[in-house]
Amino acid sequence: MTRQYSITLLPGDGIGPEILTVTVDVLKIIGQQFDIKFNFQEALIGGSAIDATGNPLPEETLTVCRNSDAVLLAAIGGYKWDNLPRHQRPETGLLGIRAGLNLFANLRPATILPQLIDASSLKKEVVEGVDIMVVRELTGGVYFGQPKGVFATETGEKRGVNTMAYTESEIDRIGKVAFEIAKKRGNKLCSVDKANVLDVSQLWRDRITSMATEYPDVELSHLYVDNAAMQLVRAPKQFDTIVTGNLFGDILSDAAAMLTGSIGMLPSASLGLEKPGLFEPVHGSAPDIAGQDKANPLAQVLSAAMMLRYGLDEPEPAQKIEQAVLAVLDQGYRTGDIMSPGMTAVGCQSMGEALLKVLES
Ligand code: NAD
């Protein structure tokens, strides 16, 4: 029977519309091949929403997103809106949609593609075969804990305060996401904290440890964050799935992603307890190359694969998309950001056409 999914598309700004067009074409073909009907609707976010409505996240956008099975976002932002007050900035729309959809789990894969191994700043033998998923808690921890602010002390000196806090239920829900993901991958989960110093981390470690009995197939380990940072660049192949809090995850997910060396290739997913999840490339709107057919659409296409796997529980079409990406790279096609000698330079559109050809073959 045909499966139907309603997908909200948020093209946003800059290269967003270009890379999303390629991705929708890919999904349409995949839909035909796997008997899936995607019902797409487009909504405004970021600078384009500011221009049209004065608001970077119109209420209508949030409503459309909430009523869909998944949200596919491209990127927001650009020079034009850089000097607006904070509440009117495109980035406020991005934070607003994550909060509005209660997306507390951020998934950032770092996979070394053999075709792009030379883009990594680390030695080939260190990164070859790296395939890591960082699961970062996104809506708690030190970025949100109270009290926060800059206060005057009794002596008149200013004191800046942020509070790292997690409740048991916040730890349990991100722990569950991470164990489930580890189960779908290599059955290895490393929880990263700073339990030797921070009380909040001790609670984190205790909760994650107690959850392990529900997942007997998943091998659980713990690392302090300083050691985890070291191990990520020393011997990244030891990791499969990593789970950690907001601050540590912010830093470690960027470090892990950069093992791959190419920003135009990195997808991400943000999940809540229920649908819809939000799927987007890690990169921004690249205003320096917008409208010039130079953007690499592959991070966006791989975000659609994450949408299928983690948002819609459709692993087979997800895998087909990922294999098509590897195939076009094997054929030597490269956009400017991943170009290397001897390869065939293509623009965004031609990269999309190459993908469609592979999918149809
Ligand atoms: P950026 O990721 O947009 O660009 C950094 C560099 O990488 C640029 O040289 C750009 O041309 C290149 N690049 C990025 N994506 C590419 C792709 N798909 N193909 C080829 N090259 C690519 O980051 P930035 O320049 O710091 O920010 C530009 C704008 O994007 C800002 O307004 C920023 O706020 C916004 N931004 C948005 C998001 C998001 O929507 N999630 C994330 C980061 C930045």
mmCIF file of all heavy atoms in Angstrom, residues 269-319:
data_model
loop_
_atom_site.group_PDB
_atom_site.id
_atom_site.type_symbol
_atom_site.label_atom_id
_atom_site.label_comp_id
_atom_site.label_asym_id
_atom_site.label_seq_id
_atom_site.Cartn_x
_atom_site.Cartn_y
_atom_site.Cartn_z
ATOM 1 N N ALA A 269 19.880 16.190 12.029
ATOM 2 C CA ALA A 269 18.466 15.970 12.346
ATOM 3 C C ALA A 269 18.211 16.452 13.761
ATOM 4 O O ALA A 269 19.076 16.339 14.621
ATOM 5 C CB ALA A 269 18.139 14.479 12.253
ATOM 6 N N SER A 270 17.033 17.011 13.994
ATOM 7 C CA SER A 270 16.625 17.358 15.355
ATOM 8 C C SER A 270 15.283 16.688 15.612
ATOM 9 O O SER A 270 14.345 16.842 14.820
ATOM 10 C CB SER A 270 16.496 18.872 15.519
ATOM 11 O OG SER A 270 17.732 19.488 15.230
ATOM 12 N N LEU A 271 15.233 15.946 16.733
ATOM 13 C CA LEU A 271 14.042 15.138 17.007
ATOM 14 C C LEU A 271 13.421 15.509 18.349
ATOM 15 O O LEU A 271 14.124 15.889 19.286
ATOM 16 C CB LEU A 271 14.406 13.648 17.050
ATOM 17 C CG LEU A 271 15.136 13.058 15.844
ATOM 18 C CD1 LEU A 271 15.488 11.608 16.109
ATOM 19 C CD2 LEU A 271 14.278 13.181 14.591
ATOM 20 N N GLY A 272 12.104 15.355 18.435
ATOM 21 C CA GLY A 272 11.404 15.473 19.707
ATOM 22 C C GLY A 272 10.839 14.117 20.088
ATOM 23 O O GLY A 272 11.228 13.092 19.521
ATOM 24 N N LEU A 273 9.899 14.107 21.028
ATOM 25 C CA LEU A 273 9.293 12.833 21.420
ATOM 26 C C LEU A 273 8.384 12.311 20.322
ATOM 27 O O LEU A 273 8.178 11.118 20.167
ATOM 28 C CB LEU A 273 8.479 13.011 22.702
ATOM 29 C CG LEU A 273 9.252 12.972 24.026
ATOM 30 C CD1 LEU A 273 8.307 13.151 25.188
ATOM 31 C CD2 LEU A 273 10.045 11.679 24.158
ATOM 32 N N GLU A 274 7.790 13.249 19.594
ATOM 33 C CA GLU A 274 6.866 12.860 18.525
ATOM 34 C C GLU A 274 7.268 13.533 17.222
ATOM 35 O O GLU A 274 8.118 14.405 17.208
ATOM 36 C CB GLU A 274 5.448 13.321 18.902
ATOM 37 C CG GLU A 274 4.863 12.481 20.016
ATOM 38 C CD GLU A 274 3.672 13.148 20.657
ATOM 39 O OE1 GLU A 274 3.165 14.136 20.083
ATOM 40 O OE2 GLU A 274 3.264 12.693 21.725
ATOM 41 N N LYS A 275 6.602 13.146 16.140
ATOM 42 C CA LYS A 275 6.801 13.832 14.867
ATOM 43 C C LYS A 275 6.259 15.252 14.982
ATOM 44 O O LYS A 275 5.358 15.477 15.771
ATOM 45 C CB LYS A 275 6.028 13.112 13.769
ATOM 46 C CG LYS A 275 6.624 11.803 13.343
ATOM 47 C CD LYS A 275 5.736 11.256 12.234
ATOM 48 C CE LYS A 275 6.117 9.836 11.853
ATOM 49 N NZ LYS A 275 5.164 9.232 10.934
ATOM 50 N N PRO A 276 6.695 16.206 14.183
ATOM 51 C CA PRO A 276 7.708 16.056 13.156
ATOM 52 C C PRO A 276 9.097 16.369 13.684
ATOM 53 O O PRO A 276 9.271 17.191 14.565
ATOM 54 C CB PRO A 276 7.295 17.145 12.156
ATOM 55 C CG PRO A 276 6.760 18.233 13.007
ATOM 56 C CD PRO A 276 6.075 17.546 14.158
ATOM 57 N N GLY A 277 10.098 15.695 13.095
ATOM 58 C CA GLY A 277 11.476 16.092 13.319
ATOM 59 C C GLY A 277 11.855 17.132 12.270
ATOM 60 O O GLY A 277 11.133 17.357 11.294
ATOM 61 N N LEU A 278 12.997 17.763 12.508
ATOM 62 C CA LEU A 278 13.487 18.800 11.599
ATOM 63 C C LEU A 278 14.825 18.323 11.024
ATOM 64 O O LEU A 278 15.711 17.915 11.775
ATOM 65 C CB LEU A 278 13.694 20.093 12.390
ATOM 66 C CG LEU A 278 14.269 21.295 11.657
ATOM 67 C CD1 LEU A 278 13.213 21.930 10.762
ATOM 68 C CD2 LEU A 278 14.770 22.335 12.650
ATOM 69 N N PHE A 279 14.960 18.399 9.707
ATOM 70 C CA PHE A 279 16.140 17.851 9.044
ATOM 71 C C PHE A 279 16.771 18.940 8.195
ATOM 72 O O PHE A 279 16.088 19.561 7.375
ATOM 73 C CB PHE A 279 15.729 16.625 8.214
ATOM 74 C CG PHE A 279 15.030 15.613 9.091
ATOM 75 C CD1 PHE A 279 13.663 15.700 9.336
ATOM 76 C CD2 PHE A 279 15.762 14.641 9.753
ATOM 77 C CE1 PHE A 279 13.028 14.817 10.204
ATOM 78 C CE2 PHE A 279 15.137 13.749 10.619
ATOM 79 C CZ PHE A 279 13.767 13.838 10.847
ATOM 80 N N GLU A 280 18.049 19.187 8.409
ATOM 81 C CA GLU A 280 18.681 20.341 7.751
ATOM 82 C C GLU A 280 20.176 20.112 7.595
ATOM 83 O O GLU A 280 20.793 19.400 8.392
ATOM 84 C CB GLU A 280 18.454 21.606 8.581
ATOM 85 C CG GLU A 280 18.959 21.460 9.991
ATOM 86 C CD GLU A 280 18.786 22.698 10.858
ATOM 87 O OE1 GLU A 280 18.980 23.802 10.363
ATOM 88 O OE2 GLU A 280 18.487 22.526 12.059
ATOM 89 N N PRO A 281 20.786 20.747 6.580
ATOM 90 C CA PRO A 281 22.242 20.664 6.486
ATOM 91 C C PRO A 281 22.875 21.444 7.632
ATOM 92 O O PRO A 281 22.252 22.341 8.195
ATOM 93 C CB PRO A 281 22.556 21.324 5.143
ATOM 94 C CG PRO A 281 21.344 22.070 4.735
ATOM 95 C CD PRO A 281 20.179 21.496 5.476
ATOM 96 N N VAL A 282 24.129 21.115 7.950
ATOM 97 C CA VAL A 282 24.839 21.824 9.018
ATOM 98 C C VAL A 282 25.243 23.222 8.558
ATOM 99 O O VAL A 282 25.273 24.160 9.341
ATOM 100 C CB VAL A 282 26.085 20.992 9.432
ATOM 101 C CG1 VAL A 282 27.028 21.800 10.286
ATOM 102 C CG2 VAL A 282 25.638 19.726 10.167
ATOM 103 N N HIS A 283 25.520 23.357 7.257
ATOM 104 C CA HIS A 283 26.021 24.660 6.773
ATOM 105 C C HIS A 283 24.929 25.715 6.768
ATOM 106 O O HIS A 283 23.742 25.420 6.937
ATOM 107 C CB HIS A 283 26.629 24.495 5.373
ATOM 108 C CG HIS A 283 25.642 24.052 4.321
ATOM 109 N ND1 HIS A 283 24.638 24.848 3.846
ATOM 110 C CD2 HIS A 283 25.522 22.869 3.657
ATOM 111 C CE1 HIS A 283 23.953 24.200 2.933
ATOM 112 N NE2 HIS A 283 24.454 22.984 2.803
ATOM 113 N N GLY A 284 25.359 26.966 6.543
ATOM 114 C CA GLY A 284 24.425 28.082 6.488
ATOM 115 C C GLY A 284 23.977 28.392 5.076
ATOM 116 O O GLY A 284 24.043 27.527 4.186
ATOM 117 N N SER A 285 23.537 29.635 4.864
ATOM 118 C CA SER A 285 22.903 30.003 3.597
ATOM 119 C C SER A 285 23.910 30.424 2.528
ATOM 120 O O SER A 285 23.527 30.785 1.426
ATOM 121 C CB SER A 285 21.911 31.131 3.839
ATOM 122 O OG SER A 285 22.599 32.234 4.389
ATOM 123 N N ALA A 286 25.196 30.399 2.873
ATOM 124 C CA ALA A 286 26.283 30.704 1.922
ATOM 125 C C ALA A 286 25.945 31.874 1.001
ATOM 126 O O ALA A 286 25.951 31.719 -0.222
ATOM 127 C CB ALA A 286 26.640 29.447 1.108
ATOM 128 N N PRO A 287 25.702 33.061 1.544
ATOM 129 C CA PRO A 287 25.293 34.190 0.693
ATOM 130 C C PRO A 287 26.343 34.555 -0.356
ATOM 131 O O PRO A 287 26.009 35.102 -1.404
ATOM 132 C CB PRO A 287 25.078 35.349 1.681
ATOM 133 C CG PRO A 287 25.652 34.916 2.983
ATOM 134 C CD PRO A 287 25.722 33.437 2.981
ATOM 135 N N ASP A 288 27.617 34.179 -0.081
ATOM 136 C CA ASP A 288 28.685 34.514 -1.049
ATOM 137 C C ASP A 288 28.538 33.777 -2.367
ATOM 138 O O ASP A 288 29.070 34.218 -3.386
ATOM 139 C CB ASP A 288 30.075 34.239 -0.421
ATOM 140 C CG ASP A 288 30.215 32.833 0.159
ATOM 141 O OD1 ASP A 288 29.195 32.253 0.596
ATOM 142 O OD2 ASP A 288 31.342 32.301 0.155
ATOM 143 N N ILE A 289 27.813 32.657 -2.387
ATOM 144 C CA ILE A 289 27.673 31.923 -3.657
ATOM 145 C C ILE A 289 26.200 31.747 -4.062
ATOM 146 O O ILE A 289 25.904 31.046 -5.024
ATOM 147 C CB ILE A 289 28.355 30.528 -3.594
ATOM 148 C CG1 ILE A 289 27.805 29.698 -2.421
ATOM 149 C CG2 ILE A 289 29.868 30.664 -3.500
ATOM 150 C CD1 ILE A 289 28.194 28.223 -2.499
ATOM 151 N N ALA A 290 25.300 32.391 -3.323
ATOM 152 C CA ALA A 290 23.860 32.202 -3.590
ATOM 153 C C ALA A 290 23.484 32.667 -4.993
ATOM 154 O O ALA A 290 24.007 33.670 -5.486
ATOM 155 C CB ALA A 290 23.042 32.968 -2.555
ATOM 156 N N GLY A 291 22.607 31.916 -5.631
ATOM 157 C CA GLY A 291 22.084 32.297 -6.950
ATOM 158 C C GLY A 291 23.084 32.105 -8.076
ATOM 159 O O GLY A 291 22.858 32.533 -9.198
ATOM 160 N N GLN A 292 24.215 31.451 -7.816
ATOM 161 C CA GLN A 292 25.251 31.302 -8.855
ATOM 162 C C GLN A 292 25.409 29.849 -9.306
ATOM 163 O O GLN A 292 26.365 29.522 -10.010
ATOM 164 C CB GLN A 292 26.592 31.804 -8.307
ATOM 165 C CG GLN A 292 26.580 33.277 -7.913
ATOM 166 C CD GLN A 292 27.862 33.657 -7.173
ATOM 167 O OE1 GLN A 292 28.967 33.240 -7.535
ATOM 168 N NE2 GLN A 292 27.730 34.448 -6.122
ATOM 169 N N ASP A 293 24.525 28.994 -8.869
ATOM 170 C CA ASP A 293 24.600 27.564 -9.204
ATOM 171 C C ASP A 293 25.944 26.948 -8.801
ATOM 172 O O ASP A 293 26.516 26.145 -9.529
ATOM 173 C CB ASP A 293 24.343 27.358 -10.719
ATOM 174 C CG ASP A 293 24.102 25.883 -11.057
ATOM 175 O OD1 ASP A 293 23.550 25.172 -10.200
ATOM 176 O OD2 ASP A 293 24.496 25.454 -12.158
ATOM 177 N N LYS A 294 26.437 27.378 -7.627
ATOM 178 C CA LYS A 294 27.728 26.835 -7.165
ATOM 179 C C LYS A 294 27.561 25.969 -5.922
ATOM 180 O O LYS A 294 28.519 25.347 -5.465
ATOM 181 C CB LYS A 294 28.665 27.989 -6.794
ATOM 182 C CG LYS A 294 29.230 28.749 -7.982
ATOM 183 C CD LYS A 294 30.201 29.801 -7.469
ATOM 184 C CE LYS A 294 30.825 30.569 -8.620
ATOM 185 N NZ LYS A 294 31.492 31.793 -8.143
ATOM 186 N N ALA A 295 26.375 25.958 -5.328
ATOM 187 C CA ALA A 295 26.204 25.291 -4.031
ATOM 188 C C ALA A 295 26.267 23.776 -4.168
ATOM 189 O O ALA A 295 25.810 23.209 -5.164
ATOM 190 C CB ALA A 295 24.867 25.697 -3.424
ATOM 191 N N ASN A 296 26.802 23.150 -3.149
ATOM 192 C CA ASN A 296 26.790 21.686 -3.056
ATOM 193 C C ASN A 296 25.448 21.268 -2.427
ATOM 194 O O ASN A 296 25.177 21.588 -1.269
ATOM 195 C CB ASN A 296 27.967 21.247 -2.169
ATOM 196 C CG ASN A 296 28.069 19.747 -2.055
ATOM 197 O OD1 ASN A 296 27.165 19.020 -2.476
ATOM 198 N ND2 ASN A 296 29.158 19.275 -1.485
ATOM 199 N N PRO A 297 24.624 20.534 -3.160
ATOM 200 C CA PRO A 297 23.314 20.155 -2.604
ATOM 201 C C PRO A 297 23.352 18.886 -1.749
ATOM 202 O O PRO A 297 22.336 18.463 -1.209
ATOM 203 C CB PRO A 297 22.477 19.905 -3.869
ATOM 204 C CG PRO A 297 23.470 19.408 -4.878
ATOM 205 C CD PRO A 297 24.790 20.070 -4.559
ATOM 206 N N LEU A 298 24.553 18.250 -1.619
ATOM 207 C CA LEU A 298 24.577 16.897 -1.047
ATOM 208 C C LEU A 298 24.261 16.850 0.450
ATOM 209 O O LEU A 298 23.644 15.894 0.925
ATOM 210 C CB LEU A 298 25.921 16.216 -1.352
ATOM 211 C CG LEU A 298 26.189 16.001 -2.853
ATOM 212 C CD1 LEU A 298 27.556 15.351 -3.066
ATOM 213 C CD2 LEU A 298 25.090 15.155 -3.509
ATOM 214 N N ALA A 299 24.624 17.903 1.216
ATOM 215 C CA ALA A 299 24.267 17.905 2.648
ATOM 216 C C ALA A 299 22.743 17.947 2.807
ATOM 217 O O ALA A 299 22.172 17.305 3.684
ATOM 218 C CB ALA A 299 24.900 19.099 3.351
ATOM 219 N N GLN A 300 22.106 18.712 1.920
ATOM 220 C CA GLN A 300 20.642 18.777 1.979
ATOM 221 C C GLN A 300 20.015 17.447 1.566
ATOM 222 O O GLN A 300 19.074 16.962 2.185
ATOM 223 C CB GLN A 300 20.156 19.899 1.043
ATOM 224 C CG GLN A 300 18.661 20.061 1.009
ATOM 225 C CD GLN A 300 18.137 20.857 2.197
ATOM 226 O OE1 GLN A 300 18.280 22.042 2.249
ATOM 227 N NE2 GLN A 300 17.510 20.183 3.140
ATOM 228 N N VAL A 301 20.578 16.844 0.521
ATOM 229 C CA VAL A 301 20.065 15.544 0.063
ATOM 230 C C VAL A 301 20.260 14.496 1.168
ATOM 231 O O VAL A 301 19.361 13.693 1.450
ATOM 232 C CB VAL A 301 20.782 15.127 -1.245
ATOM 233 C CG1 VAL A 301 20.472 13.687 -1.605
ATOM 234 C CG2 VAL A 301 20.391 16.064 -2.385
ATOM 235 N N LEU A 302 21.426 14.529 1.831
ATOM 236 C CA LEU A 302 21.664 13.576 2.924
ATOM 237 C C LEU A 302 20.772 13.874 4.133
ATOM 238 O O LEU A 302 20.445 12.971 4.910
ATOM 239 C CB LEU A 302 23.153 13.597 3.325
ATOM 240 C CG LEU A 302 24.105 13.010 2.262
ATOM 241 C CD1 LEU A 302 25.566 13.289 2.613
ATOM 242 C CD2 LEU A 302 23.885 11.493 2.102
ATOM 243 N N SER A 303 20.355 15.128 4.279
ATOM 244 C CA SER A 303 19.392 15.462 5.350
ATOM 245 C C SER A 303 18.041 14.809 5.055
ATOM 246 O O SER A 303 17.329 14.376 5.970
ATOM 247 C CB SER A 303 19.198 16.981 5.471
ATOM 248 O OG SER A 303 20.416 17.622 5.730
ATOM 249 N N ALA A 304 17.708 14.743 3.765
ATOM 250 C CA ALA A 304 16.463 14.055 3.386
ATOM 251 C C ALA A 304 16.572 12.554 3.686
ATOM 252 O O ALA A 304 15.600 11.914 4.100
ATOM 253 C CB ALA A 304 16.157 14.287 1.914
ATOM 254 N N ALA A 305 17.772 12.005 3.508
ATOM 255 C CA ALA A 305 17.975 10.582 3.852
ATOM 256 C C ALA A 305 17.803 10.389 5.362
ATOM 257 O O ALA A 305 17.190 9.416 5.812
ATOM 258 C CB ALA A 305 19.369 10.126 3.400
ATOM 259 N N MET A 306 18.321 11.342 6.151
ATOM 260 C CA MET A 306 18.120 11.251 7.611
ATOM 261 C C MET A 306 16.635 11.367 7.960
ATOM 262 O O MET A 306 16.144 10.714 8.877
ATOM 263 C CB MET A 306 18.893 12.355 8.340
ATOM 264 C CG MET A 306 20.382 12.135 8.385
ATOM 265 S SD MET A 306 21.198 13.264 9.543
ATOM 266 C CE MET A 306 21.048 12.355 11.097
ATOM 267 N N MET A 307 15.936 12.217 7.217
ATOM 268 C CA MET A 307 14.487 12.360 7.443
ATOM 269 C C MET A 307 13.798 11.011 7.243
ATOM 270 O O MET A 307 12.957 10.599 8.048
ATOM 271 C CB MET A 307 13.923 13.405 6.468
ATOM 272 C CG MET A 307 12.417 13.525 6.489
ATOM 273 S SD MET A 307 11.835 14.715 5.272
ATOM 274 C CE MET A 307 11.673 13.661 3.838
ATOM 275 N N LEU A 308 14.179 10.323 6.165
ATOM 276 C CA LEU A 308 13.551 9.022 5.904
ATOM 277 C C LEU A 308 13.894 8.019 7.003
ATOM 278 O O LEU A 308 13.022 7.319 7.512
ATOM 279 C CB LEU A 308 14.004 8.495 4.538
ATOM 280 C CG LEU A 308 13.377 9.222 3.351
ATOM 281 C CD1 LEU A 308 14.184 9.008 2.077
ATOM 282 C CD2 LEU A 308 11.941 8.753 3.150
ATOM 283 N N ARG A 309 15.174 7.973 7.405
ATOM 284 C CA ARG A 309 15.600 6.953 8.367
ATOM 285 C C ARG A 309 15.099 7.247 9.779
ATOM 286 O O ARG A 309 14.524 6.386 10.436
ATOM 287 C CB ARG A 309 17.122 6.824 8.353
ATOM 288 C CG ARG A 309 17.610 5.808 9.378
ATOM 289 C CD ARG A 309 19.093 5.497 9.284
ATOM 290 N NE ARG A 309 19.387 4.578 8.188
ATOM 291 C CZ ARG A 309 20.108 4.885 7.124
ATOM 292 N NH1 ARG A 309 20.626 6.084 7.012
ATOM 293 N NH2 ARG A 309 20.326 4.003 6.183
ATOM 294 N N TYR A 310 15.322 8.485 10.246
ATOM 295 C CA TYR A 310 15.049 8.786 11.661
ATOM 296 C C TYR A 310 13.700 9.472 11.881
ATOM 297 O O TYR A 310 13.180 9.465 12.990
ATOM 298 C CB TYR A 310 16.170 9.658 12.241
ATOM 299 C CG TYR A 310 17.496 8.951 12.255
ATOM 300 C CD1 TYR A 310 18.526 9.343 11.407
ATOM 301 C CD2 TYR A 310 17.718 7.868 13.094
ATOM 302 C CE1 TYR A 310 19.749 8.681 11.401
ATOM 303 C CE2 TYR A 310 18.935 7.195 13.095
ATOM 304 C CZ TYR A 310 19.944 7.605 12.249
ATOM 305 O OH TYR A 310 21.140 6.937 12.251
ATOM 306 N N GLY A 311 13.157 10.094 10.841
ATOM 307 C CA GLY A 311 11.897 10.817 11.019
ATOM 308 C C GLY A 311 10.696 10.023 10.569
ATOM 309 O O GLY A 311 9.597 10.175 11.100
ATOM 310 N N LEU A 312 10.879 9.152 9.550
ATOM 311 C CA LEU A 312 9.738 8.444 8.968
ATOM 312 C C LEU A 312 9.914 6.917 9.051
ATOM 313 O O LEU A 312 9.059 6.183 8.562
ATOM 314 C CB LEU A 312 9.554 8.867 7.501
ATOM 315 C CG LEU A 312 9.382 10.389 7.277
ATOM 316 C CD1 LEU A 312 9.353 10.713 5.791
ATOM 317 C CD2 LEU A 312 8.119 10.903 7.952
ATOM 318 N N ASP A 313 11.010 6.475 9.650
ATOM 319 C CA ASP A 313 11.286 5.041 9.784
ATOM 320 C C ASP A 313 11.237 4.319 8.430
ATOM 321 O O ASP A 313 10.574 3.283 8.283
ATOM 322 C CB ASP A 313 10.285 4.411 10.770
ATOM 323 C CG ASP A 313 10.916 3.241 11.507
ATOM 324 O OD1 ASP A 313 12.148 3.050 11.373
ATOM 325 O OD2 ASP A 313 10.178 2.506 12.198
ATOM 326 N N GLU A 314 11.906 4.897 7.464
ATOM 327 C CA GLU A 314 11.982 4.330 6.108
ATOM 328 C C GLU A 314 13.460 4.110 5.755
ATOM 329 O O GLU A 314 14.046 4.849 4.950
ATOM 330 C CB GLU A 314 11.341 5.299 5.095
ATOM 331 C CG GLU A 314 9.855 5.498 5.229
ATOM 332 C CD GLU A 314 9.038 4.393 4.542
ATOM 333 O OE1 GLU A 314 9.643 3.448 3.997
ATOM 334 O OE2 GLU A 314 7.801 4.501 4.550
ATOM 335 N N PRO A 315 14.103 3.089 6.351
ATOM 336 C CA PRO A 315 15.551 2.950 6.152
ATOM 337 C C PRO A 315 15.970 2.594 4.722
ATOM 338 O O PRO A 315 17.035 3.018 4.268
ATOM 339 C CB PRO A 315 15.955 1.841 7.137
ATOM 340 C CG PRO A 315 14.688 1.139 7.503
ATOM 341 C CD PRO A 315 13.573 2.110 7.325
ATOM 342 N N GLU A 316 15.124 1.838 3.981
ATOM 343 C CA GLU A 316 15.589 1.404 2.640
ATOM 344 C C GLU A 316 15.741 2.576 1.661
ATOM 345 O O GLU A 316 16.786 2.715 1.037
ATOM 346 C CB GLU A 316 14.679 0.321 2.051
ATOM 347 C CG GLU A 316 14.925 -1.051 2.645
ATOM 348 C CD GLU A 316 13.864 -1.397 3.672
ATOM 349 O OE1 GLU A 316 12.778 -0.790 3.602
ATOM 350 O OE2 GLU A 316 14.120 -2.247 4.544
ATOM 351 N N PRO A 317 14.695 3.423 1.510
ATOM 352 C CA PRO A 317 14.913 4.576 0.616
ATOM 353 C C PRO A 317 16.033 5.494 1.112
ATOM 354 O O PRO A 317 16.748 6.091 0.295
ATOM 355 C CB PRO A 317 13.572 5.301 0.596
ATOM 356 C CG PRO A 317 12.741 4.703 1.666
ATOM 357 C CD PRO A 317 13.299 3.359 1.961
ATOM 358 N N ALA A 318 16.214 5.581 2.436
ATOM 359 C CA ALA A 318 17.309 6.409 2.976
ATOM 360 C C ALA A 318 18.638 5.883 2.461
ATOM 361 O O ALA A 318 19.494 6.630 1.972
ATOM 362 C CB ALA A 318 17.285 6.383 4.501
ATOM 363 N N GLN A 319 18.776 4.569 2.538
ATOM 364 C CA GLN A 319 20.033 3.951 2.109
ATOM 365 C C GLN A 319 20.264 4.134 0.612
ATOM 366 O O GLN A 319 21.377 4.380 0.162
ATOM 367 C CB GLN A 319 20.000 2.465 2.456
ATOM 368 C CG GLN A 319 21.372 1.862 2.439
ATOM 369 C CD GLN A 319 21.333 0.386 2.789
ATOM 370 O OE1 GLN A 319 20.270 -0.201 2.999
ATOM 371 N NE2 GLN A 319 22.493 -0.219 2.840
#
